[in-house]
mmCIF file of all heavy atoms in Angstrom:
data_model
loop_
_atom_site.group_PDB
_atom_site.id
_atom_site.type_symbol
_atom_site.label_atom_id
_atom_site.label_comp_id
_atom_site.label_asym_id
_atom_site.label_seq_id
_atom_site.Cartn_x
_atom_site.Cartn_y
_atom_site.Cartn_z
ATOM 1 N N SER A 293 180.004 283.633 79.424
ATOM 2 C CA SER A 293 179.615 285.034 79.593
ATOM 3 C C SER A 293 178.934 285.237 80.942
ATOM 4 O O SER A 293 178.276 286.253 81.169
ATOM 5 C CB SER A 293 178.634 285.449 78.485
ATOM 6 O OG SER A 293 179.046 284.997 77.253
ATOM 7 N N GLY A 294 179.032 284.266 81.815
ATOM 8 C CA GLY A 294 178.480 284.394 83.158
ATOM 9 C C GLY A 294 176.983 284.179 83.234
ATOM 10 O O GLY A 294 176.347 284.561 84.208
ATOM 11 N N ILE A 295 176.379 283.586 82.215
ATOM 12 C CA ILE A 295 174.928 283.341 82.263
ATOM 13 C C ILE A 295 174.660 281.848 82.357
ATOM 14 O O ILE A 295 175.135 281.063 81.531
ATOM 15 C CB ILE A 295 174.224 283.912 80.999
ATOM 16 C CG1 ILE A 295 174.408 285.429 80.960
ATOM 17 C CG2 ILE A 295 172.738 283.559 81.001
ATOM 18 C CD1 ILE A 295 173.838 286.079 79.716
ATOM 19 N N GLU A 296 173.923 281.457 83.383
ATOM 20 C CA GLU A 296 173.528 280.046 83.533
ATOM 21 C C GLU A 296 172.259 279.828 82.712
ATOM 22 O O GLU A 296 171.280 280.536 82.924
ATOM 23 C CB GLU A 296 173.194 279.743 85.000
ATOM 24 C CG GLU A 296 174.365 279.786 85.942
ATOM 25 C CD GLU A 296 175.170 278.494 85.938
ATOM 26 O OE1 GLU A 296 174.621 277.436 85.565
ATOM 27 O OE2 GLU A 296 176.368 278.566 86.288
ATOM 28 N N ALA A 297 172.274 278.861 81.810
ATOM 29 C CA ALA A 297 171.075 278.588 81.002
ATOM 30 C C ALA A 297 170.162 277.677 81.812
ATOM 31 O O ALA A 297 170.155 276.463 81.644
ATOM 32 C CB ALA A 297 171.474 277.949 79.681
ATOM 33 N N ARG A 298 169.390 278.285 82.714
ATOM 34 C CA ARG A 298 168.674 277.476 83.715
ATOM 35 C C ARG A 298 167.543 276.642 83.133
ATOM 36 O O ARG A 298 167.297 275.533 83.576
ATOM 37 C CB ARG A 298 168.147 278.369 84.828
ATOM 38 C CG ARG A 298 169.286 278.782 85.745
ATOM 39 C CD ARG A 298 168.781 279.481 86.954
ATOM 40 N NE ARG A 298 169.401 280.782 87.034
ATOM 41 C CZ ARG A 298 168.948 281.770 87.791
ATOM 42 N NH1 ARG A 298 167.859 281.613 88.486
ATOM 43 N NH2 ARG A 298 169.571 282.904 87.831
ATOM 44 N N PHE A 299 166.823 277.188 82.149
ATOM 45 C CA PHE A 299 165.749 276.400 81.521
ATOM 46 C C PHE A 299 166.327 275.126 80.896
ATOM 47 O O PHE A 299 165.737 274.059 80.963
ATOM 48 C CB PHE A 299 165.051 277.214 80.419
ATOM 49 C CG PHE A 299 163.961 278.113 80.913
ATOM 50 C CD1 PHE A 299 164.057 279.479 80.806
ATOM 51 C CD2 PHE A 299 162.812 277.568 81.466
ATOM 52 C CE1 PHE A 299 163.040 280.303 81.259
ATOM 53 C CE2 PHE A 299 161.782 278.381 81.912
ATOM 54 C CZ PHE A 299 161.901 279.762 81.805
ATOM 55 N N ILE A 300 167.492 275.282 80.253
ATOM 56 C CA ILE A 300 168.087 274.129 79.560
ATOM 57 C C ILE A 300 168.483 273.060 80.580
ATOM 58 O O ILE A 300 168.208 271.868 80.401
ATOM 59 C CB ILE A 300 169.320 274.572 78.730
ATOM 60 C CG1 ILE A 300 168.864 275.485 77.597
ATOM 61 C CG2 ILE A 300 170.090 273.365 78.196
ATOM 62 C CD1 ILE A 300 169.986 276.077 76.761
ATOM 63 N N GLU A 301 169.125 273.488 81.662
ATOM 64 C CA GLU A 301 169.573 272.516 82.666
ATOM 65 C C GLU A 301 168.363 271.789 83.274
ATOM 66 O O GLU A 301 168.373 270.577 83.455
ATOM 67 C CB GLU A 301 170.375 273.206 83.786
ATOM 68 C CG GLU A 301 171.636 273.928 83.318
ATOM 69 C CD GLU A 301 172.696 273.013 82.701
ATOM 70 O OE1 GLU A 301 172.708 271.808 83.027
ATOM 71 O OE2 GLU A 301 173.494 273.503 81.871
ATOM 72 N N LEU A 302 167.306 272.547 83.555
ATOM 73 C CA LEU A 302 166.127 271.970 84.192
ATOM 74 C C LEU A 302 165.433 270.971 83.256
ATOM 75 O O LEU A 302 165.095 269.848 83.643
ATOM 76 C CB LEU A 302 165.165 273.092 84.599
ATOM 77 C CG LEU A 302 163.899 272.664 85.331
ATOM 78 C CD1 LEU A 302 164.235 271.913 86.609
ATOM 79 C CD2 LEU A 302 163.038 273.885 85.657
ATOM 80 N N ALA A 303 165.233 271.417 82.004
ATOM 81 C CA ALA A 303 164.575 270.515 81.040
ATOM 82 C C ALA A 303 165.437 269.279 80.822
ATOM 83 O O ALA A 303 164.922 268.158 80.705
ATOM 84 C CB ALA A 303 164.335 271.244 79.714
ATOM 85 N N GLY A 304 166.752 269.463 80.773
ATOM 86 C CA GLY A 304 167.665 268.324 80.600
ATOM 87 C C GLY A 304 167.503 267.341 81.744
ATOM 88 O O GLY A 304 167.480 266.118 81.555
ATOM 89 N N TYR A 305 167.337 267.870 82.958
ATOM 90 C CA TYR A 305 167.178 266.999 84.127
ATOM 91 C C TYR A 305 165.860 266.217 84.035
ATOM 92 O O TYR A 305 165.832 264.996 84.195
ATOM 93 C CB TYR A 305 167.222 267.833 85.413
ATOM 94 C CG TYR A 305 166.879 267.006 86.623
ATOM 95 C CD1 TYR A 305 167.827 266.143 87.175
ATOM 96 C CD2 TYR A 305 165.602 267.047 87.182
ATOM 97 C CE1 TYR A 305 167.502 265.329 88.252
ATOM 98 C CE2 TYR A 305 165.272 266.250 88.259
ATOM 99 C CZ TYR A 305 166.227 265.395 88.787
ATOM 100 O OH TYR A 305 165.900 264.591 89.844
ATOM 101 N N ILE A 306 164.780 266.925 83.739
ATOM 102 C CA ILE A 306 163.461 266.257 83.693
ATOM 103 C C ILE A 306 163.429 265.226 82.565
ATOM 104 O O ILE A 306 163.011 264.074 82.773
ATOM 105 C CB ILE A 306 162.322 267.289 83.533
ATOM 106 C CG1 ILE A 306 162.225 268.125 84.804
ATOM 107 C CG2 ILE A 306 160.986 266.593 83.254
ATOM 108 C CD1 ILE A 306 161.359 269.344 84.686
ATOM 109 N N ASN A 307 163.895 265.613 81.383
ATOM 110 C CA ASN A 307 163.891 264.667 80.264
ATOM 111 C C ASN A 307 164.752 263.446 80.582
ATOM 112 O O ASN A 307 164.423 262.324 80.204
ATOM 113 C CB ASN A 307 164.364 265.355 78.980
ATOM 114 C CG ASN A 307 163.370 266.410 78.494
ATOM 115 O OD1 ASN A 307 162.166 266.276 78.717
ATOM 116 N ND2 ASN A 307 163.863 267.472 77.862
ATOM 117 N N GLY A 308 165.854 263.678 81.283
ATOM 118 C CA GLY A 308 166.756 262.575 81.651
ATOM 119 C C GLY A 308 166.133 261.618 82.654
ATOM 120 O O GLY A 308 166.570 260.470 82.796
ATOM 121 N N GLN A 309 165.101 262.092 83.380
ATOM 122 C CA GLN A 309 164.430 261.225 84.363
ATOM 123 C C GLN A 309 163.427 260.274 83.713
ATOM 124 O O GLN A 309 163.001 259.296 84.318
ATOM 125 C CB GLN A 309 163.661 262.073 85.397
ATOM 126 C CG GLN A 309 164.532 262.862 86.338
ATOM 127 C CD GLN A 309 165.533 261.965 87.040
ATOM 128 O OE1 GLN A 309 165.174 261.013 87.718
ATOM 129 N NE2 GLN A 309 166.805 262.256 86.838
ATOM 130 N N MET A 310 163.020 260.579 82.476
ATOM 131 C CA MET A 310 161.893 259.837 81.885
ATOM 132 C C MET A 310 162.158 258.338 81.716
ATOM 133 O O MET A 310 161.266 257.527 82.011
ATOM 134 C CB MET A 310 161.440 260.483 80.569
ATOM 135 C CG MET A 310 160.842 261.875 80.731
ATOM 136 S SD MET A 310 159.614 262.044 82.048
ATOM 137 C CE MET A 310 158.214 261.174 81.334
ATOM 138 N N PRO A 311 163.350 257.912 81.254
ATOM 139 C CA PRO A 311 163.566 256.462 81.161
ATOM 140 C C PRO A 311 163.424 255.777 82.528
ATOM 141 O O PRO A 311 162.894 254.658 82.625
ATOM 142 C CB PRO A 311 165.002 256.334 80.638
ATOM 143 C CG PRO A 311 165.270 257.635 79.951
ATOM 144 C CD PRO A 311 164.486 258.674 80.715
ATOM 145 N N HIS A 312 163.856 256.456 83.589
ATOM 146 C CA HIS A 312 163.728 255.891 84.949
ATOM 147 C C HIS A 312 162.249 255.788 85.320
ATOM 148 O O HIS A 312 161.809 254.796 85.911
ATOM 149 C CB HIS A 312 164.459 256.780 85.973
ATOM 150 C CG HIS A 312 165.928 256.872 85.722
ATOM 151 N ND1 HIS A 312 166.836 256.029 86.313
ATOM 152 C CD2 HIS A 312 166.642 257.689 84.915
ATOM 153 C CE1 HIS A 312 168.055 256.330 85.896
ATOM 154 N NE2 HIS A 312 167.960 257.335 85.046
ATOM 155 N N PHE A 313 161.501 256.831 84.978
ATOM 156 C CA PHE A 313 160.069 256.841 85.271
ATOM 157 C C PHE A 313 159.379 255.680 84.547
ATOM 158 O O PHE A 313 158.552 254.968 85.130
ATOM 159 C CB PHE A 313 159.477 258.190 84.834
ATOM 160 C CG PHE A 313 157.996 258.314 85.020
ATOM 161 C CD1 PHE A 313 157.432 258.339 86.287
ATOM 162 C CD2 PHE A 313 157.159 258.417 83.913
ATOM 163 C CE1 PHE A 313 156.055 258.457 86.456
ATOM 164 C CE2 PHE A 313 155.785 258.536 84.077
ATOM 165 C CZ PHE A 313 155.232 258.553 85.346
ATOM 166 N N VAL A 314 159.758 255.488 83.282
ATOM 167 C CA VAL A 314 159.157 254.404 82.490
ATOM 168 C C VAL A 314 159.435 253.056 83.164
ATOM 169 O O VAL A 314 158.531 252.214 83.325
ATOM 170 C CB VAL A 314 159.713 254.426 81.032
ATOM 171 C CG1 VAL A 314 159.420 253.137 80.298
ATOM 172 C CG2 VAL A 314 159.122 255.615 80.268
ATOM 173 N N VAL A 315 160.668 252.843 83.580
ATOM 174 C CA VAL A 315 161.013 251.547 84.190
ATOM 175 C C VAL A 315 160.284 251.378 85.531
ATOM 176 O O VAL A 315 159.786 250.284 85.842
ATOM 177 C CB VAL A 315 162.555 251.424 84.330
ATOM 178 C CG1 VAL A 315 162.936 250.196 85.146
ATOM 179 C CG2 VAL A 315 163.182 251.347 82.936
ATOM 180 N N ASP A 316 160.160 252.465 86.288
ATOM 181 C CA ASP A 316 159.396 252.378 87.550
ATOM 182 C C ASP A 316 157.939 252.002 87.274
ATOM 183 O O ASP A 316 157.338 251.208 87.992
ATOM 184 C CB ASP A 316 159.427 253.722 88.302
ATOM 185 C CG ASP A 316 160.795 253.976 88.934
ATOM 186 O OD1 ASP A 316 161.599 253.026 89.024
ATOM 187 O OD2 ASP A 316 161.053 255.141 89.305
#
Side-chain angles (χ1 to χ4, degrees):
S293 316
I295 297 176
E296 292 278 337
R298 285 189 237 163
F299 275 116
I300 294 176
E301 300 297 335
L302 182 59
Y305 172 78
I306 292 168
N307 293 330
Q309 291 306 302
M310 294 313 287
H312 298 267
F313 177 67
V314 165
V315 171
D316 287 346

